[in-house]
Amino acid sequence: MRKVGLIGGMSWVSTGMYYKWINKAVTARAGSMTSAPLLIESLNFEELYGLTKEDEWDRAADILAGSAKRLKWAGAKAIAIAANSMHRVYDQVAEAVDVPVLHIADAVGSKMKAEGVTDAALIGTRNVMTESFYRKKLVSHGIDLLPPDMPHVERANS
C-alpha cells in the first residue's frame, strides 16, 4: 500500500472521520488487522475559518500547499484534503507537489455516477454550494445539480 498524506484540522472532527473511513476501507479490502499507512498534518482551523476575500484564499492556498509539501517530504505518495470547502484551493495545492492530490468531488461524482444518480442538490458550506470549484467537478461526472437555495445557504452559514 502506498502511504497517503492527509491535510487535516479543518476541522479535527472531519479529519477523524476521514481517518476512520480510510481505515474501514483498507480493513475491508486487506483484512481486519490491516490499517492504512497515513501521514496526517492537522492544521490550525482558526487560521483558515471564515475566509471570504480573495487574498485570504491566497493565504489558505499557501498554508495548504506548505502542508502538502511537508507530507510529500515525509513520504506521502498521494495527498488528500480533509475538508470540502478547502478544495477551493485544490489547483494551487496540486501544483505545489509532484504526487497526486485527490479531489473529493471526483470521488463523489464517480460514486454517484456508478450508482446511477443523475440529479442532486449540493449541501455544504457557502463556498461549496455557490462557487464553481466543486459544482463543476460533479457536473463533469454527468450529475445535474439544482441551483443553490440561497435561504438555505444563509441558514447553513449563520
Side-chain angles (χ1 to χ4, degrees):
M1 281 186 279
R2 295 188 303 166
K3 189 175 288 189
V4 174
L6 189 61
I7 302 173
M10 308 156 289
S11 73
W12 64 265
V13 174
S14 68
T15 305
M17 291 168 53
Y18 274 75
Y19 180 80
K20 180 180 177 180
W21 294 331
I22 290 167
N23 275 291
K24 280 187 151 201
V26 166
T27 297
R29 280 190 164 168
S32 64
M33 299 306 289
T34 307
S35 56
L38 291 172
L39 296 167
I40 300 173
E41 180 165 34
S42 186
L43 301 174
N44 181 358
F45 187 43
E46 186 175 36
E47 295 178 23
L48 299 164
Y49 176 75
L51 304 173
T52 57
K53 299 179 184 116
E54 201 57 40
D55 63 330
E56 291 172 325
W57 281 109
D58 291 343
R59 189 171 144 276
D62 290 343
I63 291 169
L64 269 72
S67 179
K69 289 175 185 176
R70 289 186 293 277
L71 289 166
K72 193 240 181 230
W73 178 82
K77 302 299 181 199
I79 294 172
I81 301 169
N84 287 319
S85 59
M86 288 298 143
H87 279 76
R88 186 182 195 276
V89 299
Y90 169 86
D91 291 337
Q92 296 95 312
V93 175
E95 289 172 10
V97 291
D98 62 354
V99 297
V101 178
L102 311 173
H103 198 297
I104 188 64
D106 279 330
V108 170
S110 292
K111 179 75 170 169
M112 291 172 79
K113 186 174 183 176
E115 294 192 7
V117 175
T118 58
D119 301 304
L122 184 55
I123 300 172
T125 59
R126 173 179 301 156
N127 73 323
V128 170
M129 290 189 280
T130 62
E131 296 178 27
S132 65
F133 70 94
Y134 203 98
R135 298 179 72 82
K136 281 183 179 179
K137 288 277 187 184
L138 292 179
V139 169
S140 75
H141 289 275
I143 308 301
D144 186 24
L145 291 172
L146 293 170
D149 176 346
M150 292 314 290
H152 175 77
V153 170
E154 295 310 317
R155 278 193 310 275
N157 280 277
S158 59

